[in-house]
């Protein structure tokens, strides 16, 4: 069975939440700096994964599994959909939503509207 390609992806706001944690910590501790690496390590420890795994999710390199997304949300005391949002894959040339059909390869898609090749 051929692997299907989804017509959507997810975006997350982990970077914003981590920066907010840094800012809040600095205000509460009279200027003590909380480094991003430490926050990533804390989130990773809480979720049972490495800091690098969390960093790759934050940078949109990897997508978390549903259980991991739920655990990350639990760490931030919020719901998963407050951190992770479903977004349609759009052509980078004309911004039309990708139809899920036309593709050159699994990583190179073809826009049904403008016929340009793009990478999601």
């Amino acid at each position: 069975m051929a692997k299907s390609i989804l017509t959507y992806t997810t975006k997350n706001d982990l970077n914003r939440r981590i920066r907010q944690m840094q800012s809040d910590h600095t205000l509460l501790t009279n200027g003590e700096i909380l480094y991003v690496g430490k926050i990533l390590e804390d989130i990773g420890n809480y979720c049972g994964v490495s800091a690098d795994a969390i960093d790759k999710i934050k940078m949109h390199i990897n997508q978390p599994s549903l259980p991991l997304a739920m655990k990350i949300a639990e760490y931030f005391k919020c719901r998963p959909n407050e951190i992770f949002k479903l977004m349609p894959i759009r052509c980078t040339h004309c911004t039309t939503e990708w139809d899920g059909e036309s593709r050159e390869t699994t990583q190179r898609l073809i826009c049904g509207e403008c016929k340009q090749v793009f990478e999601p």
Side-chain angles (χ1 to χ4, degrees):
M1 180 182 203
K3 181 179 175 184
S4 63
I5 298 177
L6 304 174
T7 60
Y8 54 87
T9 187
T10 61
K11 300 288 182 192
N12 70 68
D13 76 342
L14 283 178
N15 195 46
R16 182 191 65 77
R17 288 176 181 273
I18 289 169
R19 297 286 178 213
Q20 185 64 51
M21 282 180 73
Q22 274 187 308
S23 177
D24 292 348
H25 179 83
T26 301
L27 289 172
L28 292 171
T29 60
N30 295 322
E32 181 183 310
I33 296 172
L34 178 61
Y35 293 101
V36 172
K38 173 69 172 125
I39 297 171
L40 294 173
E41 188 177 305
D42 288 348
I43 298 169
N45 288 339
Y46 183 84
C47 297
V49 297
S50 68
D52 187 52
I54 300 298
D55 192 40
K56 286 182 178 176
I57 293 167
K58 176 182 74 81
M59 295 187 310
H60 304 280
I61 294 171
N62 289 344
Q63 298 291 328
S65 64
L66 179 57
L68 180 54
M70 293 173 77
K71 199 70 177 168
I72 292 169
E74 186 179 276
Y75 177 87
F76 285 103
K77 296 175 178 54
C78 67
R79 296 175 19 201
N81 67 342
E82 293 177 55
I83 298 175
F84 302 98
K85 306 281 186 208
L86 282 177
M87 306 291 291
I89 294 174
R90 295 188 176 276
C91 173
T92 53
H93 303 283
C94 70
T95 70
T96 301
E97 285 186 28
W98 181 56
D99 60 14
E101 298 295 322
S102 307
R103 63 179 179 250
E104 191 173 86
T105 68
T106 56
Q107 294 299 312
R108 293 175 53 85
L109 312 177
I110 302 171
C111 178
E113 186 73 23
C114 72
K115 308 299 184 213
Q116 294 290 316
V117 174
F118 68 98
E119 295 182 12

